[in-house]
Amino acid sequence: MPLTGVPEIAVQELDDPMFRERQVRWLIARFDQTDPVVSGNKKFKLHFFLEEARASGKTRVVTFGGAFSNHLVATAKACHDLGFRSLGIVRGTGFTHESHTLKACRLYGMELLFVERDAYASMASNLGTAGLKLDADNDYLVPEGGFHPLGAAGAALMLDGIPVQNATHIVCATGTGATVAGLLRAAKPGQEVVSVPVLKNLHDLPERMATLLPGLHKMPMVFDQYHFGGYAKYNALLLDFMNTLYHNTGIPTDFVYTAKMMYAIKDQVKRGYFAEGSVILAIHTGGLQGNLSLPAGTLVF
Ligand SMILES: *Cc1c(COP(=O)(O)O)cnc(C)c1O
């Protein structure tokens, strides 16, 4: 029995005059619609970890994330749904109030442990071995962001739920790279997978792909000028783009990931990257809960 199953994903075609003029089609796979809280890709990335945790009889899942981490809340929800206890190691201490993300984590029964940034970094990179008291019999560790071949293998399941036979390009936002690695695994020959990094200094994507896809020598095409200053950074241009996109198409995006991805696609169509006849499949990975951290009224949706 699959733990998450692969729900059928709606694919919507966007109508945009510039795309029409260039004879390029713009499709979007609405993974944001699979769950109101959990990002579209996170459940998939967790799939094989949770399967392994269950198979090995573990009762508690331990993972890592920042105060606004989509991965953390997705893990909390998945564990809640599947009957695991969960512990979230949170980067940073001394918060004056708890983020909506962490409140949601608690709502799903996740226990939270706040650690200083340096200690967090060493815990996350040593997978919890440094300074964390874990119970080897019951605790199962999931790396930060699902960054592991199992995470990529789970993300590869995403394409099972959508008919992408005729897509020439599959585009997604990139944080750790696990999702784009999964798409590379699952893409058909001839389909180009495109990564839009949302971090300023993601220069080690080749190394990341090598770690995530052992034995498979594949690299996505990278559009790396669309981070808007770095992770979770935004400006009026991006917010305006999000509001206009929503107004014209009804597609809500999040400012951390999917808005930057959609902006990149549009800009690259404008610049002529996509040949006539291209069919671009954008992967809407969700993340909409992140918009709650913007000042009220910033977005029209
Ligand atoms: C986490 C996340 C991503 C990035 O996924 P990675 O596998 O870390 O590259 C993209 N979009 C959304 C909405 C996310 O929450």
Side-chain angles (χ1 to χ4, degrees):
M1 183 204 60
L3 287 172
T4 52
V6 181
E8 197 172 308
I9 303 301
V11 175
Q12 199 170 327
E13 178 146 17
L14 308 191
D15 184 33
D16 183 291
M18 187 181 60
F19 285 63
R20 243 185 287 137
E21 191 185 308
R22 307 272 164 129
Q23 300 195 41
V24 171
R25 292 176 63 197
W26 195 7
L27 309 177
I28 184 162
R30 300 291 306 272
F31 285 91
D32 57 311
Q33 292 177 329
T34 55
D35 191 300
V37 179
V38 173
S39 278
N41 59 338
K42 298 292 186 277
K43 243 166 132 158
F44 289 88
K45 287 202 287 184
L46 286 167
H47 179 93
F48 290 111
F49 294 111
L50 298 179
E51 203 168 77
E52 189 172 88
R54 180 178 275 182
S56 56
K58 301 292 166 78
T59 56
R60 187 171 77 157
V61 172
V62 181
T63 196
F64 308 85
F68 296 94
S69 165
N70 289 330
H71 166 73
L72 216 52
V73 68
T75 304
K77 172 112 189 314
C79 288
H80 176 264
D81 292 350
L82 296 167
F84 291 106
R85 289 183 298 125
S86 63
L87 170 65
I89 314 292
V90 184
R91 183 179 59 237
T93 56
F95 297 109
T96 46
H97 71 280
E98 229 161 66
S99 66
H100 59 275
T101 309
L102 296 180
K103 285 189 184 124
C105 287
R106 287 198 197 274
L107 206 66
Y108 295 121
M110 181 176 259
E111 206 185 312
L112 299 176
L113 180 67
F114 295 85
V115 298
E116 295 290 350
R117 282 165 188 267
D118 289 349
Y120 176 91
S122 86
M123 281 182 188
S125 60
N126 294 307
L127 275 187
T129 49
L132 245 187
K133 278 198 219 75
L134 294 177
D135 168 358
D137 290 335
N138 291 308
D139 286 336
Y140 182 86
L141 282 167
V142 175
E144 186 179 32
F147 181 78
H148 184 277
L150 283 180
L157 299 174
M158 291 174 76
L159 292 188
D160 289 358
I162 41 177
V164 286
Q165 279 76 3
N166 65 350
T168 55
H169 300 80
I170 301 174
V171 189
C172 76
T174 293
T176 65
T179 302
V180 76
L183 297 175
L184 277 171
R185 255 180 86 129
K188 295 198 189 59
Q191 283 179 325
E192 182 173 73
V193 174
V194 182
S195 156
V196 180
V198 300
L199 296 99
K200 187 153 49 180
N201 293 313
L202 199 69
H203 300 311
D204 60 346
L205 209 55
E207 290 79 6
R208 284 171 181 263
M209 292 303 109
T211 304
L212 292 162
L213 300 170
L216 201 69
H217 301 285
K218 280 183 134 183
M219 257 301 279
M221 170 68 198
V222 182
F223 291 163
D224 70 0
Q225 297 301 319
Y226 300 98
H227 50 71
F228 285 77
Y231 185 73
K233 297 277 197 296
Y234 62 93
N235 60 19
L237 179 67
L238 187 70
L239 299 175
D240 195 48
F241 172 78
M242 292 168 75
N243 282 332
T244 305
L245 184 72
Y246 183 76
H247 182 259
N248 292 341
T249 66
I251 310 275
T253 49
D254 78 297
F255 74 97
V256 181
Y257 295 99
T258 53
K260 294 178 181 180
M261 179 226 15
M262 293 296 268
Y263 186 96
I265 292 173
K266 186 152 185 179
D267 194 55
Q268 288 294 330
V269 169
K270 188 156 94 193
R271 291 164 186 267
Y273 176 78
F274 296 98
E276 214 173 84
S278 294
V279 179
I280 304 167
L281 178 71
I283 304 295
H284 195 318
T285 39
L288 298 172
Q289 65 98 22
N291 287 343
L292 292 171
S293 65
L294 293 172
T298 305
L299 298 173
V300 298
F301 52 89

